[in-house]
Amino acid sequence: GDSVTQMEGPVTLSEEAFLTINCTYTATGYPSLFWYVQYPGEGLQLLLKATKADDKGSNKGFEATYRKETTSFHLEKGSVQVSDSAVYFCALSHPNTGNQFYFGTGTSLTVIP
Amino acid sequence: DTGVSQNPRHKITKRGQNVTFRCDPISEHNRLYWYRQTLGQGPEFLTYFQNEAQLEKSRLLSDRFSAERPKGSFSTLEIQRTEQGDSAMYLCASNWSGSLRSEAFFGQGTRLTVV
């Protein structure tokens, strides 16, 4: 069945460091891929998405490219800020599986000044 | 529209009691999802509705769990005879089936603690 494997954390970075959080998926066909972010005490918010191969999603300085050949959707940011401290979830959905969303286990990011 | 709304935000209950949570989706959304999230884990799918029809249920949804969406608007999730293992965050999400690749919009969740 469909699944998402996400880099385990926690991750601690200094402000302005480069961030990569790895995500790979297993699915038939062409799922849609998402990154969600959960700030402390808040609900899940969509960070970015990509709906077809080679699409790049981007938002708030974060980027991720849908790589069909490597079944990956790695999240990157060139210069993290303290305000980026949160838990990041990779997810997929697929019209063939009722559009339910499959999530990774989440990666906790702490950015220190 | 203020997004997906869940009530209550927190619920503490004694083992063996029944609890009910409510979710009000974004008004134009016809799909509604329930997820459960435990500490350090990602959300796990429980069930989803399209309009008032419950189209899929996870094996995680034991007989003690029941969900309804009687008029295709708000939904309720009831847990009967709660157990300590039911302690988790219960998340509701919604989207529109007319957009095949739409993201899901999440509420802030109901945190259940069974003591």
Side-chain angles (χ1 to χ4, degrees), chain A residues 31-51:
Chain A
S32 298
L33 301 174
F34 307 86
W35 278 100
Y36 280 84
V37 60
Q38 189 170 35
Y39 298 104
E42 299 187 14
L44 286 164
Q45 303 175 24
L46 179 71
L47 181 60
L48 52 83
K49 71 177 185 181
T51 59

PDB file of all heavy atoms in Angstrom, chain A residues 31-51:
ATOM      1  N   PRO A  31       0.977   9.911  -7.155  1.00  0.00           N
ATOM      2  CA  PRO A  31       0.280  10.566  -6.040  1.00  0.00           C
ATOM      3  C   PRO A  31       0.585  12.059  -6.016  1.00  0.00           C
ATOM      4  O   PRO A  31       1.485  12.527  -6.711  1.00  0.00           O
ATOM      5  CB  PRO A  31       0.883   9.882  -4.818  1.00  0.00           C
ATOM      6  CG  PRO A  31       2.264   9.493  -5.258  1.00  0.00           C
ATOM      7  CD  PRO A  31       2.132   9.135  -6.719  1.00  0.00           C
ATOM      8  N   SER A  32      -0.158  12.794  -5.221  1.00  0.00           N
ATOM      9  CA  SER A  32       0.196  14.167  -4.884  1.00  0.00           C
ATOM     10  C   SER A  32       1.030  14.134  -3.610  1.00  0.00           C
ATOM     11  O   SER A  32       0.806  13.293  -2.736  1.00  0.00           O
ATOM     12  CB  SER A  32      -1.065  15.000  -4.644  1.00  0.00           C
ATOM     13  OG  SER A  32      -1.844  15.061  -5.811  1.00  0.00           O
ATOM     14  N   LEU A  33       1.982  15.038  -3.524  1.00  0.00           N
ATOM     15  CA  LEU A  33       2.901  15.058  -2.381  1.00  0.00           C
ATOM     16  C   LEU A  33       2.822  16.390  -1.661  1.00  0.00           C
ATOM     17  O   LEU A  33       2.654  17.445  -2.298  1.00  0.00           O
ATOM     18  CB  LEU A  33       4.338  14.802  -2.860  1.00  0.00           C
ATOM     19  CG  LEU A  33       4.561  13.475  -3.595  1.00  0.00           C
ATOM     20  CD1 LEU A  33       5.981  13.420  -4.152  1.00  0.00           C
ATOM     21  CD2 LEU A  33       4.308  12.297  -2.666  1.00  0.00           C
ATOM     22  N   PHE A  34       2.955  16.338  -0.346  1.00  0.00           N
ATOM     23  CA  PHE A  34       2.750  17.514   0.488  1.00  0.00           C
ATOM     24  C   PHE A  34       3.794  17.563   1.606  1.00  0.00           C
ATOM     25  O   PHE A  34       4.271  16.523   2.073  1.00  0.00           O
ATOM     26  CB  PHE A  34       1.364  17.464   1.168  1.00  0.00           C
ATOM     27  CG  PHE A  34       0.215  17.245   0.220  1.00  0.00           C
ATOM     28  CD1 PHE A  34      -0.162  15.964  -0.148  1.00  0.00           C
ATOM     29  CD2 PHE A  34      -0.497  18.322  -0.287  1.00  0.00           C
ATOM     30  CE1 PHE A  34      -1.225  15.741  -1.014  1.00  0.00           C
ATOM     31  CE2 PHE A  34      -1.566  18.113  -1.163  1.00  0.00           C
ATOM     32  CZ  PHE A  34      -1.914  16.822  -1.523  1.00  0.00           C
ATOM     33  N   TRP A  35       4.098  18.781   2.030  1.00  0.00           N
ATOM     34  CA  TRP A  35       4.749  19.001   3.307  1.00  0.00           C
ATOM     35  C   TRP A  35       3.810  19.828   4.164  1.00  0.00           C
ATOM     36  O   TRP A  35       3.348  20.895   3.746  1.00  0.00           O
ATOM     37  CB  TRP A  35       6.092  19.723   3.146  1.00  0.00           C
ATOM     38  CG  TRP A  35       7.209  18.796   2.778  1.00  0.00           C
ATOM     39  CD1 TRP A  35       7.740  18.578   1.543  1.00  0.00           C
ATOM     40  CD2 TRP A  35       7.940  17.958   3.681  1.00  0.00           C
ATOM     41  NE1 TRP A  35       8.747  17.644   1.616  1.00  0.00           N
ATOM     42  CE2 TRP A  35       8.900  17.256   2.913  1.00  0.00           C
ATOM     43  CE3 TRP A  35       7.898  17.732   5.061  1.00  0.00           C
ATOM     44  CZ2 TRP A  35       9.796  16.346   3.480  1.00  0.00           C
ATOM     45  CZ3 TRP A  35       8.789  16.836   5.612  1.00  0.00           C
ATOM     46  CH2 TRP A  35       9.723  16.145   4.827  1.00  0.00           C
ATOM     47  N   TYR A  36       3.557  19.305   5.368  1.00  0.00           N
ATOM     48  CA  TYR A  36       2.784  20.029   6.365  1.00  0.00           C
ATOM     49  C   TYR A  36       3.717  20.412   7.507  1.00  0.00           C
ATOM     50  O   TYR A  36       4.703  19.724   7.779  1.00  0.00           O
ATOM     51  CB  TYR A  36       1.657  19.155   6.928  1.00  0.00           C
ATOM     52  CG  TYR A  36       0.426  19.071   6.051  1.00  0.00           C
ATOM     53  CD1 TYR A  36       0.361  18.163   4.994  1.00  0.00           C
ATOM     54  CD2 TYR A  36      -0.671  19.896   6.288  1.00  0.00           C
ATOM     55  CE1 TYR A  36      -0.772  18.083   4.195  1.00  0.00           C
ATOM     56  CE2 TYR A  36      -1.804  19.829   5.490  1.00  0.00           C
ATOM     57  CZ  TYR A  36      -1.848  18.924   4.453  1.00  0.00           C
ATOM     58  OH  TYR A  36      -2.962  18.850   3.658  1.00  0.00           O
ATOM     59  N   VAL A  37       3.362  21.495   8.199  1.00  0.00           N
ATOM     60  CA  VAL A  37       4.140  21.950   9.339  1.00  0.00           C
ATOM     61  C   VAL A  37       3.208  22.109  10.540  1.00  0.00           C
ATOM     62  O   VAL A  37       2.041  22.501  10.387  1.00  0.00           O
ATOM     63  CB  VAL A  37       4.884  23.275   9.030  1.00  0.00           C
ATOM     64  CG1 VAL A  37       3.918  24.393   8.662  1.00  0.00           C
ATOM     65  CG2 VAL A  37       5.750  23.700  10.203  1.00  0.00           C
ATOM     66  N   GLN A  38       3.730  21.741  11.697  1.00  0.00           N
ATOM     67  CA  GLN A  38       2.943  21.861  12.937  1.00  0.00           C
ATOM     68  C   GLN A  38       3.784  22.643  13.934  1.00  0.00           C
ATOM     69  O   GLN A  38       4.776  22.127  14.468  1.00  0.00           O
ATOM     70  CB  GLN A  38       2.604  20.470  13.478  1.00  0.00           C
ATOM     71  CG  GLN A  38       1.613  20.459  14.618  1.00  0.00           C
ATOM     72  CD  GLN A  38       1.137  19.054  14.944  1.00  0.00           C
ATOM     73  OE1 GLN A  38       1.889  18.085  14.840  1.00  0.00           O
ATOM     74  NE2 GLN A  38      -0.126  18.918  15.336  1.00  0.00           N
ATOM     75  N   TYR A  39       3.385  23.891  14.167  1.00  0.00           N
ATOM     76  CA  TYR A  39       4.055  24.720  15.159  1.00  0.00           C
ATOM     77  C   TYR A  39       3.549  24.344  16.547  1.00  0.00           C
ATOM     78  O   TYR A  39       2.445  23.821  16.695  1.00  0.00           O
ATOM     79  CB  TYR A  39       3.809  26.199  14.879  1.00  0.00           C
ATOM     80  CG  TYR A  39       4.364  26.647  13.551  1.00  0.00           C
ATOM     81  CD1 TYR A  39       3.533  26.858  12.459  1.00  0.00           C
ATOM     82  CD2 TYR A  39       5.733  26.839  13.380  1.00  0.00           C
ATOM     83  CE1 TYR A  39       4.035  27.247  11.237  1.00  0.00           C
ATOM     84  CE2 TYR A  39       6.252  27.236  12.157  1.00  0.00           C
ATOM     85  CZ  TYR A  39       5.394  27.427  11.083  1.00  0.00           C
ATOM     86  OH  TYR A  39       5.908  27.804   9.879  1.00  0.00           O
ATOM     87  N   PRO A  40       4.333  24.591  17.577  1.00  0.00           N
ATOM     88  CA  PRO A  40       3.934  24.200  18.934  1.00  0.00           C
ATOM     89  C   PRO A  40       2.542  24.709  19.294  1.00  0.00           C
ATOM     90  O   PRO A  40       2.247  25.895  19.148  1.00  0.00           O
ATOM     91  CB  PRO A  40       5.016  24.848  19.804  1.00  0.00           C
ATOM     92  CG  PRO A  40       6.214  24.946  18.917  1.00  0.00           C
ATOM     93  CD  PRO A  40       5.671  25.224  17.545  1.00  0.00           C
ATOM     94  N   GLY A  41       1.688  23.786  19.726  1.00  0.00           N
ATOM     95  CA  GLY A  41       0.345  24.151  20.168  1.00  0.00           C
ATOM     96  C   GLY A  41      -0.638  24.442  19.063  1.00  0.00           C
ATOM     97  O   GLY A  41      -1.768  24.873  19.336  1.00  0.00           O
ATOM     98  N   GLU A  42      -0.241  24.209  17.824  1.00  0.00           N
ATOM     99  CA  GLU A  42      -1.126  24.520  16.703  1.00  0.00           C
ATOM    100  C   GLU A  42      -1.442  23.282  15.877  1.00  0.00           C
ATOM    101  O   GLU A  42      -0.845  22.220  16.056  1.00  0.00           O
ATOM    102  CB  GLU A  42      -0.500  25.595  15.822  1.00  0.00           C
ATOM    103  CG  GLU A  42      -0.262  26.905  16.557  1.00  0.00           C
ATOM    104  CD  GLU A  42       0.204  28.007  15.618  1.00  0.00           C
ATOM    105  OE1 GLU A  42       0.084  27.849  14.386  1.00  0.00           O
ATOM    106  OE2 GLU A  42       0.693  29.028  16.134  1.00  0.00           O
ATOM    107  N   GLY A  43      -2.385  23.431  14.960  1.00  0.00           N
ATOM    108  CA  GLY A  43      -2.749  22.334  14.080  1.00  0.00           C
ATOM    109  C   GLY A  43      -1.807  22.228  12.888  1.00  0.00           C
ATOM    110  O   GLY A  43      -0.897  23.034  12.714  1.00  0.00           O
ATOM    111  N   LEU A  44      -2.050  21.225  12.063  1.00  0.00           N
ATOM    112  CA  LEU A  44      -1.255  21.025  10.846  1.00  0.00           C
ATOM    113  C   LEU A  44      -1.598  22.078   9.812  1.00  0.00           C
ATOM    114  O   LEU A  44      -2.771  22.340   9.542  1.00  0.00           O
ATOM    115  CB  LEU A  44      -1.556  19.648  10.256  1.00  0.00           C
ATOM    116  CG  LEU A  44      -0.971  18.451  10.985  1.00  0.00           C
ATOM    117  CD1 LEU A  44      -1.666  17.185  10.535  1.00  0.00           C
ATOM    118  CD2 LEU A  44       0.517  18.351  10.718  1.00  0.00           C
ATOM    119  N   GLN A  45      -0.560  22.651   9.219  1.00  0.00           N
ATOM    120  CA  GLN A  45      -0.757  23.644   8.161  1.00  0.00           C
ATOM    121  C   GLN A  45      -0.005  23.185   6.921  1.00  0.00           C
ATOM    122  O   GLN A  45       1.112  22.692   7.026  1.00  0.00           O
ATOM    123  CB  GLN A  45      -0.188  25.004   8.574  1.00  0.00           C
ATOM    124  CG  GLN A  45      -0.736  25.589   9.846  1.00  0.00           C
ATOM    125  CD  GLN A  45      -0.016  26.862  10.231  1.00  0.00           C
ATOM    126  OE1 GLN A  45       0.576  27.551   9.397  1.00  0.00           O
ATOM    127  NE2 GLN A  45      -0.054  27.190  11.522  1.00  0.00           N
ATOM    128  N   LEU A  46      -0.612  23.376   5.783  1.00  0.00           N
ATOM    129  CA  LEU A  46       0.084  23.049   4.547  1.00  0.00           C
ATOM    130  C   LEU A  46       1.248  24.005   4.357  1.00  0.00           C
ATOM    131  O   LEU A  46       1.078  25.228   4.440  1.00  0.00           O
ATOM    132  CB  LEU A  46      -0.854  23.159   3.353  1.00  0.00           C
ATOM    133  CG  LEU A  46      -0.203  22.867   2.011  1.00  0.00           C
ATOM    134  CD1 LEU A  46       0.113  21.374   1.883  1.00  0.00           C
ATOM    135  CD2 LEU A  46      -1.094  23.320   0.862  1.00  0.00           C
ATOM    136  N   LEU A  47       2.425  23.457   4.070  1.00  0.00           N
ATOM    137  CA  LEU A  47       3.588  24.279   3.777  1.00  0.00           C
ATOM    138  C   LEU A  47       3.760  24.415   2.261  1.00  0.00           C
ATOM    139  O   LEU A  47       3.911  25.515   1.744  1.00  0.00           O
ATOM    140  CB  LEU A  47       4.841  23.671   4.397  1.00  0.00           C
ATOM    141  CG  LEU A  47       6.151  24.420   4.193  1.00  0.00           C
ATOM    142  CD1 LEU A  47       6.081  25.824   4.770  1.00  0.00           C
ATOM    143  CD2 LEU A  47       7.317  23.641   4.812  1.00  0.00           C
ATOM    144  N   LEU A  48       3.738  23.277   1.554  1.00  0.00           N
ATOM    145  CA  LEU A  48       3.832  23.304   0.107  1.00  0.00           C
ATOM    146  C   LEU A  48       3.363  21.972  -0.443  1.00  0.00           C
ATOM    147  O   LEU A  48       3.219  20.998   0.303  1.00  0.00           O
ATOM    148  CB  LEU A  48       5.269  23.613  -0.354  1.00  0.00           C
ATOM    149  CG  LEU A  48       6.409  22.769   0.205  1.00  0.00           C
ATOM    150  CD1 LEU A  48       6.565  21.477  -0.574  1.00  0.00           C
ATOM    151  CD2 LEU A  48       7.723  23.539   0.171  1.00  0.00           C
ATOM    152  N   LYS A  49       3.136  21.941  -1.755  1.00  0.00           N
ATOM    153  CA  LYS A  49       2.687  20.702  -2.375  1.00  0.00           C
ATOM    154  C   LYS A  49       3.174  20.628  -3.813  1.00  0.00           C
ATOM    155  O   LYS A  49       3.574  21.638  -4.407  1.00  0.00           O
ATOM    156  CB  LYS A  49       1.164  20.586  -2.333  1.00  0.00           C
ATOM    157  CG  LYS A  49       0.442  21.544  -3.270  1.00  0.00           C
ATOM    158  CD  LYS A  49      -1.069  21.303  -3.208  1.00  0.00           C
ATOM    159  CE  LYS A  49      -1.801  22.176  -4.224  1.00  0.00           C
ATOM    160  NZ  LYS A  49      -3.279  21.967  -4.153  1.00  0.00           N
ATOM    161  N   ALA A  50       3.144  19.406  -4.368  1.00  0.00           N
ATOM    162  CA  ALA A  50       3.445  19.175  -5.778  1.00  0.00           C
ATOM    163  C   ALA A  50       2.551  18.045  -6.253  1.00  0.00           C
ATOM    164  O   ALA A  50       2.371  17.046  -5.550  1.00  0.00           O
ATOM    165  CB  ALA A  50       4.916  18.820  -5.983  1.00  0.00           C
ATOM    166  N   THR A  51       1.955  18.212  -7.415  1.00  0.00           N
ATOM    167  CA  THR A  51       0.955  17.246  -7.864  1.00  0.00           C
ATOM    168  C   THR A  51       1.392  16.386  -9.035  1.00  0.00           C
ATOM    169  O   THR A  51       0.674  15.452  -9.413  1.00  0.00           O
ATOM    170  CB  THR A  51      -0.356  17.956  -8.219  1.00  0.00           C
ATOM    171  OG1 THR A  51      -0.087  18.908  -9.261  1.00  0.00           O
ATOM    172  CG2 THR A  51      -0.939  18.660  -7.014  1.00  0.00           C
TER     173      THR A  51
END
